[in-house]
Amino acid sequence: MGTAKGSKEKIARWLLSDMKPEEGRRLLEELHPNRRLARNAQRMSARMVEYELKVMLGIPKTALFTQKCTNEELLRQYGKHTQGGTPDPGRPQEIHAARPAQERKEEKARPRVPADDRLLLQAKEAVAELAVEASKLHNALFETGEVN
């Protein structure tokens, strides 16, 4: 998301402070680009507000769902907006969203294996036969009045 640097610093300060829910809701209303979500911030739980603000910082959702560290460690690992300016060099960087789209596309691309036409034709025929058998069974049950 296109969150400005000053906004990211505000969110980081809130996450490192005592995280009062009212202040977090106010931040979400003020900074979130989705106006509908921002309007509903007052009805959100404190955990949901915290989650949305962390997403605004660019922390990957996979890291949020499996978070077993403190917010300070999370910000140090994934955020360039904290006081040090750079992530902790001792931590592995797993920012999936920051990788170029071409890299992600190359990872997904797998070489195609040429299919054996005979095997494919046999499989199609077997599926067609199964469909016919299922249809016959369905009709037989319908005629007897049984429910399938």
Side-chain angles (χ1 to χ4, degrees):
M1 283 181 205
T3 308
K5 184 176 171 92
S7 302
K8 287 186 174 188
E9 289 174 357
K10 286 180 185 179
I11 295 169
R13 278 196 305 270
W14 180 77
L15 288 170
L16 296 174
S17 70
D18 55 359
M19 294 177 26
K20 293 180 182 174
E22 305 83 37
E23 188 177 333
R25 289 182 183 108
R26 185 189 54 74
L27 270 174
L28 194 61
E29 282 180 1
E30 177 185 326
L31 304 174
H32 204 283
N34 182 339
R35 293 290 93 203
R36 174 178 258 168
L37 189 137
R39 280 193 307 267
N40 293 325
Q42 292 302 323
R43 290 184 267 182
M44 291 178 152
S45 68
R47 291 181 57 92
M48 186 65 181
V49 169
E50 179 182 356
Y51 170 81
E52 288 294 337
L53 289 172
K54 287 178 181 177
V55 168
M56 286 179 66
L57 288 177
I59 298 172
K61 292 179 182 179
T62 54
L64 295 178
F65 290 130
T66 59
Q67 181 181 354
K68 294 182 180 176
C69 60
T70 64
N71 285 336
E72 185 176 355
E73 292 170 341
L74 194 68
L75 289 173
R76 193 177 316 123
Q77 182 175 358
Y78 292 105
K80 294 180 181 176
H81 53 276
T82 54
Q83 288 124 0
T86 58
D88 184 5
R91 292 265 190 174
Q93 296 299 312
E94 297 181 24
I95 303 179
H96 303 294
R99 289 185 305 176
Q102 185 62 31
E103 282 182 32
R104 291 192 306 268
K105 196 177 284 184
E106 288 172 4
E107 285 178 6
K108 290 180 183 178
R110 295 188 179 122
R112 297 194 73 187
V113 178
D116 184 9
D117 291 336
R118 257 180 311 169
L119 185 60
L120 189 58
L121 185 60
Q122 288 174 350
K124 285 182 179 179
E125 288 173 356
V127 168
E129 287 175 18
L130 284 173
V132 168
E133 291 299 318
S135 179
K136 287 179 184 177
L137 182 61
H138 175 77
N139 288 337
L141 286 172
F142 182 75
E143 289 174 4
T144 60
E146 295 290 324
V147 182
N148 53 352

